[in-house]
Amino acid sequence: MDFVKHIIESKNLVHKYVSYDENDKKETTIALDNINITVNEGDFVAILGRNGSGKSTFAKHINALLSPDEGTLFIDSMDATENKNRIPIRRTAGMVFQNPDNQIIAQIVEEDVGFGPENIGIETDEIWRRVDKALEAVGMTMYRKNSPNRLSGGQKQRVAIAGVMAMEPKCIVLDEPTAMLDPIGRREVIKTVHELNKEKGITIILITHHMDETIDADKIFVCDKGKIALSGTPREVFSNVEQIEGFGLEVPVATKLAYLLREKGIDIPKDIISREELVDFVVSRGGNRNDRS
């Protein structure tokens, strides 16, 4: 039996934000409340939740931007509560944020991609090897001499991903990476991260509001009020339409249509998650009137 390594493992993870009101009274908000998540090396995992649910706070723990107040968190077997592990963890788990303009700092694409390795003292020849490899992986080699300012939103985000890749992480955390993109840019970015996962074996943690971006994930975690409210495969999670909507989220369009058809008495599977599956089901039934109960 093959041994499966856990690249992320949290147990009873708690994070609190402390603030003060206008009367200088201390207020404590529990952003993460006993989070237990295990991610296998090479997985593609999606984390969902409405604003304030805790998903982005958890993402920042994976990259050691935040430290747990209680519980344990191990990233590639490194204890995230120990200060000495912060830099090694950041090299292991790269972070891509919502706005690529906040991550791109150089005037030329290839220089931006090489900035991270240069900043940690990688030798020049190795930097360019990594730049070549990363740009090729995200399909941006032909734009290497371009100014990022002349790129589309999706292209900029792919450059940001390449910059993280050049650090050669085992895991990439993407926090709402398509939130500011048009549909074409969204498809470009999601296609890129799936290719990195399948072809390079990089563990992907995708945080998103777009349900259709998650249907090919290995596992989904749904956050609500700082807790893991639901987890499982996309089929398992999205079959709970009413529960998902109760968390202030939507389900994929095909899943919602199938749900509405079932509400009308049509015998249709609960676990449909893609348009292709919905079309195949309808075609296979050939509009049979006996489908109504």
Side-chain angles (χ1 to χ4, degrees):
M1 183 176 179
D2 293 335
F3 174 74
V4 178
K5 181 180 179 181
H6 296 159
I7 192 166
I8 299 167
E9 188 172 11
S10 72
K11 291 185 178 178
N12 301 319
L13 179 65
V14 174
H15 188 83
K16 303 173 183 177
Y17 288 115
V18 176
S19 60
Y20 294 86
D21 65 16
E22 56 186 11
N23 298 315
D24 208 31
K25 181 180 177 181
K26 182 178 179 181
E27 296 181 343
T28 301
T29 301
I30 299 178
L32 297 178
D33 188 0
N34 289 295
I35 297 292
N36 293 283
I37 285 180
T38 298
V39 177
N40 295 332
E41 194 168 42
D43 275 357
F44 190 115
V45 170
I47 301 179
L48 308 177
R50 72 179 103 193
N51 290 337
S53 63
K55 61 188 188 301
S56 290
T57 297
F58 182 69
K60 291 173 183 176
H61 279 75
I62 298 174
N63 190 242
L65 293 174
L66 294 175
S67 295
D69 290 309
E70 298 175 24
T72 61
L73 174 64
F74 287 87
I75 309 297
D76 198 28
S77 301
M78 292 179 284
D79 189 343
T81 64
E82 297 185 10
N83 287 336
K84 68 178 183 179
N85 289 331
R86 287 189 178 182
I87 299 303
I89 284 174
R90 288 172 189 167
R91 293 179 182 176
T92 297
M95 193 95 174
V96 176
F97 297 97
Q98 184 179 113
N99 188 346
D101 289 329
N102 293 338
Q103 279 189 267
I104 296 175
I105 59 174
Q107 298 301 309
I108 302 297
V109 165
E110 64 179 11
E111 293 176 359
D112 189 83
V113 176
F115 176 80
E118 182 181 21
N119 202 39
I120 60 174
I122 302 298
E123 293 184 358
T124 302
D125 288 347
E126 175 63 11
I127 290 174
W128 289 117
R129 185 194 70 79
R130 293 189 183 191
V131 169
D132 292 344
K133 184 178 176 183
L135 286 173
E136 182 180 358
V138 301
M140 291 296 291
T141 300
M142 66 183 296
Y143 299 97
R144 64 184 303 148
K145 299 294 184 181
N146 287 38
S147 166
N149 295 329
R150 295 181 176 274
L151 301 178
S152 68
Q155 289 170 333
K156 286 181 181 180
Q157 197 62 286
R158 284 153 67 189
V159 171
I161 294 170
V164 171
M165 276 195 66
M167 301 289 288
E168 297 195 342
K170 293 182 178 181
C171 173
I172 297 179
V173 183
L174 302 105
D175 190 4
E176 302 280 3
T178 65
M180 302 181 68
L181 304 181
D182 60 24
I184 293 174
R186 282 177 50 200
R187 286 194 295 270
E188 287 179 353
V189 170
I190 296 304
K191 180 175 181 287
T192 296
V193 294
H194 271 292
E195 288 171 351
L196 294 177
N197 174 249
K198 289 181 169 60
E199 297 174 12
K200 309 295 182 182
I202 296 174
T203 305
I204 299 293
I205 309 294
L206 174 66
I207 296 170
T208 181
H209 276 109
H210 298 291
M211 302 301 111
D212 289 333
E213 296 177 357
T214 70
I215 61 175
D216 293 319
D218 294 307
K219 194 168 186 179
I220 292 175
F221 293 96
V222 180
C223 295
D224 187 59
K225 299 177 182 178
K227 297 179 179 290
I228 300 299
L230 195 61
S231 66
T233 66
R235 294 188 191 282
E236 292 168 341
V237 168
F238 290 132
S239 64
N240 300 283
V241 175
E242 293 179 7
Q243 189 176 7
I244 292 291
E245 292 181 339
F247 298 140
L249 302 172
E250 298 178 350
V251 296
V253 173
T255 305
K256 181 66 173 181
L257 287 174
Y259 171 78
L260 293 174
L261 290 172
R262 283 196 307 277
E263 289 286 286
K264 294 293 185 179
I266 296 175
D267 183 16
I268 187 170
K270 290 180 62 177
D271 63 353
I272 285 179
I273 58 175
S274 73
R275 181 176 60 181
E276 291 77 14
E277 290 175 346
L278 183 59
V279 170
D280 287 346
F281 175 83
V282 173
V283 171
S284 70
R285 292 301 177 97
N288 189 339
R289 295 181 183 276
N290 293 326
D291 287 342
R292 283 187 180 274
S293 59

